[in-house]
Amino acid sequence: MAGDSGGAHLNLASTLYLREEVGDASYIKALLLYYGPYGLTDSASRRLLGGAWDGLTEEDWKFYIGLYAEDPAAINEERYCNLFLNDLTRDMPACYIAAAEFDPLKDDSATLAAICEQYGHPFRYEVFKGTIHAFLHYTKVLDDANDALEHGASFFRNHCDMGMRIH
């Protein structure tokens, strides 16, 4: 599964939900996670980065959180919203984690990568220098966007059963 920003969050949350609530997510072999919000509510990147240029002002954050929950304070205690509340020590698929250098969510990606490294989960973590949140959407003008997509696709090919046909 692949997604960027909220889509990256939904992919990891869905995988954790399937593992915990359904009992099996082993068929998910790889996640391609581009600059997702995984659960940090305060970090250096959140404090220092983001603004009107990338749609991540404080007002924007409040709006996005309001889409997720009626009670924004409760969201930090919900494990499928704050993904760091889950047991990330076991049964994780391979994760390609891409971050943008000037993204307020950069520390979320760095934290997830550190967890993968600590517990021996297969992962690749990349920070794309000089980019902002949502850079993936600029493939016609930004080589890094194309590189991030290609790196994710290569990671997927390397971690999935290539006998499986994808249509």
Side-chain angles (χ1 to χ4, degrees):
M1 295 195 301
D4 75 313
S5 193
H9 174 272
L10 290 171
N11 284 332
L12 182 54
S14 297
T15 300
L16 295 169
Y17 177 85
L18 289 168
R19 184 188 76 185
E20 296 302 320
E21 308 298 330
V22 177
D24 184 23
S26 62
Y27 53 89
I28 298 173
K29 302 299 182 194
L31 297 175
L32 309 182
L33 306 170
Y34 296 91
Y35 44 79
Y38 306 116
L40 296 182
T41 57
D42 190 20
S43 69
S45 64
R46 287 232 182 179
R47 288 178 180 240
L48 299 173
L49 303 171
W53 55 88
D54 61 9
L56 296 175
T57 65
E58 190 62 35
E59 291 74 31
D60 293 324
W61 281 113
K62 289 177 185 175
F63 173 75
Y64 300 139
I65 295 299
L67 294 174
Y68 270 81
E70 291 179 16
D71 181 3
I75 202 168
N76 296 328
E77 304 304 318
E78 169 54 50
R79 67 183 182 156
Y80 297 117
C81 292
N82 179 350
L83 303 181
F84 294 127
L85 295 176
N86 289 275
D87 180 1
L88 301 177
T89 67
R90 62 177 183 84
D91 303 325
M92 290 282 291
C95 293
Y96 174 76
I97 305 164
E101 180 181 16
F102 299 114
D103 186 348
L105 299 177
K106 179 174 71 172
D107 290 341
D108 282 65
S109 294
T111 300
L112 182 60
I115 289 168
C116 288
E117 183 171 38
Q118 180 177 359
Y119 294 106
H121 305 310
F123 78 100
R124 179 177 178 186
Y125 175 57
E126 283 190 276
V127 177
F128 287 86
K129 302 291 183 194
T131 60
I132 63 173
H133 187 79
F135 77 93
L136 205 62
H137 297 261
Y138 299 98
T139 55
K140 291 187 190 268
V141 295
L142 188 61
D143 289 339
D144 280 335
N146 292 298
D147 290 345
L149 290 171
E150 178 53 42
H151 296 177
S154 293
F155 183 87
F156 177 83
R157 284 189 298 270
N158 290 334
H159 286 88
C160 292
D161 177 13
M162 293 315 292
M164 171 180 63
R165 296 288 176 235
I166 301 170
H167 301 282

